[in-house]
């Protein structure tokens, strides 16, 4: 899958997937980190805020396909058995859990992709940082909003260049209403601004401007958290990553106008870059 304006980043990730090693992908929400991870073949793990207080829950996601404890020496096997609730005893030190995880990954030689790594529990972050600084035979690529895993090489995903933002909009025959929207460089923000302009429902005034950084979606979130009734034509999009919520049944009654729900299997939360054609069709269909 080729991503608009991300050729350099994709080349670096593909090379790492072939050679082995570790990399942290850092960038603002909506800039395309998830799309970059999903452009690779590998074992995909997503950090979940609801499990942030569950020690080693993230590490279990990473290791469970490769969890052949019979390949580990006694102390390292005991460490993983304890942290995954398979045995009782004293809590092992982080470095022992890290050495056990390193052994499993080095034997299996997978490509492990960790999205939203900032939501992983602290114990898992500590172990994965330990592993990432030593891994060579396998590949570990994590994406996060903030720098983490000290000593691990990092790739900062910069905002899209204006010409790349325009290219992203071309399939839908859309144009960003303000140069500032393109300069923001977020694929999600670019699509949101352009779609609002096409539909004629864009709002004016200071309160409707997309803010800088992580706060650019605050206005939308404040409105949506109150579960308002939405009377304008709407299309909602979900994927199999949404689990039991992908059917949209939980919010169907909030839409009183023309409405359609679409499910895109295998797509994460950055639909404009991961499924541009499907997103384009939705933008055009809802604007008619």
């Amino acid at each position: 899958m080729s991503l608009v304006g991300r050729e350099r980043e994709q080349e670096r990730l593909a090379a790492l997937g072939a050679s082995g090693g570790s990399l942290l992908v850092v960038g603002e929400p909506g800039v395309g980190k998830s799309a970059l991870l999903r452009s690779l073949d590998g074992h995909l793990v997503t950090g979940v805020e609801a499990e942030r207080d569950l020690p080693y829950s993230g590490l279990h996601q990473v290791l469970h396909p490769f969890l052949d404890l019979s390949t580990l020496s006694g102390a390292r096997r005991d460490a993983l058995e304890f942290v995954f609730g398979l045995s009782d005893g004293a809590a092992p030190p982080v470095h022992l859990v890290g050495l056990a995880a390193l052994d499993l990954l080095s034997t299996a030689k997978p490509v492990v992709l960790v999205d939203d790594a900032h939501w992983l529990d602290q114990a898992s972050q500590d172990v994965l940082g330990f592993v990432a600084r030593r891994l060579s035979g396998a590949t570990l690529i994590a994406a996060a909003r903030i720098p983490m895993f000290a000593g691990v090489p990092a790739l900062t995903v910069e905002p899209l260049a204006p010409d790349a933002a325009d290219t992203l909009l071309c399939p839908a025959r859309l144009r960003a209403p303000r140069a500032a929207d393109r300069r923001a460089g977020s694929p999600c923000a670019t699509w949101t601004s352009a779609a609002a302009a096409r539909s004629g429902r864009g709002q004016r005034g200071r309160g409707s401007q997309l803010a800088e950084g992580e706060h650019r979606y605050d206005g939308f979130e404040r409105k949506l958290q109150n579960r308002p009734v939405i009377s304008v034509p709407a299309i909602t999009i979900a994927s199999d990553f949404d689990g039991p919520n992908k059917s949209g049944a939980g919010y169907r009654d909030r839409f009183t106008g023309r409405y359609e729900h679409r499910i895109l299997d295998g797509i994460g939360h950055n639909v404009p870059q991961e499924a541009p054609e499907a997103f384009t069709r939705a933008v055009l269909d809802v604007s008619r």
Side-chain angles (χ1 to χ4, degrees):
M1 176 175 61
S2 178
L3 303 176
V4 174
R6 299 301 185 207
E7 295 79 9
R8 179 182 63 85
E9 291 88 346
Q10 284 190 282
E11 288 178 3
R12 181 169 178 184
L13 266 60
L16 185 68
S19 65
S22 301
L23 182 70
L24 177 67
V25 179
V26 183
E28 293 183 0
V31 79
K33 303 184 299 297
S34 297
L36 282 169
L37 289 191
R38 287 172 172 82
S39 70
L40 298 175
D41 292 327
H43 170 48
L44 179 64
V45 170
T46 301
V48 180
E49 185 178 7
E51 296 187 359
R52 199 176 187 185
D53 295 327
L54 302 177
Y56 297 108
S57 58
L59 183 66
H60 185 263
Q61 283 196 76
V62 170
L63 293 182
H64 77 82
F66 324 111
L67 205 56
D68 183 1
L69 298 182
S70 66
T71 64
L72 299 175
S73 63
R76 297 179 185 185
R77 181 178 62 250
D78 292 346
L80 284 187
E81 286 182 345
F82 177 86
V83 300
F84 292 154
L86 300 175
S87 67
D88 297 324
V94 168
H95 79 274
L96 191 57
V97 179
L99 288 171
L102 186 61
D103 282 352
L104 290 178
L105 294 177
S106 297
T107 299
K109 301 186 185 306
V111 174
V112 177
L113 310 168
V114 183
D115 199 7
D116 288 340
H118 49 273
W119 289 129
L120 295 177
D121 60 278
Q122 189 59 54
S124 295
Q125 289 188 31
D126 292 342
V127 170
L128 290 179
F130 179 93
V131 169
R133 287 185 286 272
R134 293 162 176 80
L135 193 64
S136 58
T139 301
L140 173 63
I141 302 176
R145 298 177 184 177
I146 56 176
M148 51 195 304
F149 301 157
V152 175
L155 170 65
T156 300
V157 182
E158 301 291 350
L160 283 177
D163 57 343
D166 288 338
T167 300
L168 185 65
L169 296 174
C170 281
R173 301 185 301 280
L174 297 173
R175 186 163 56 94
R178 294 177 294 126
D181 294 322
R182 297 199 311 276
R183 287 197 298 269
S186 163
C188 289
T190 300
W191 274 96
T192 300
S193 300
R198 180 183 176 90
S199 66
R201 292 189 291 272
Q203 297 179 350
R204 296 182 179 180
R206 185 174 180 179
S208 67
Q209 301 295 318
L210 296 178
E212 295 293 329
E214 296 185 18
H215 302 295
R216 66 179 53 160
Y217 305 117
D218 285 357
F220 295 113
E221 291 177 355
R222 281 193 294 269
K223 294 177 182 178
L224 291 175
Q225 70 183 1
N226 294 323
R227 293 178 58 83
V229 173
I230 299 174
S231 59
V232 297
I235 294 176
T236 53
I237 297 175
S239 81
D240 49 3
F241 286 103
D242 293 313
N245 298 318
K246 73 176 184 179
S247 69
Y251 45 80
R252 173 63 186 89
D253 62 342
R254 310 309 299 174
F255 296 87
T256 60
R258 179 166 57 85
Y259 175 75
E260 183 181 347
H261 182 72
R262 299 178 181 179
I263 299 175
L264 306 178
D265 290 337
I267 302 301
H269 54 258
N270 194 345
V271 177
Q273 279 210 327
E274 294 180 54
E277 292 184 4
F279 191 83
T280 296
R281 286 195 296 271
V283 171
L284 294 175
D285 290 346
V286 79
S287 302
R288 289 172 180 164

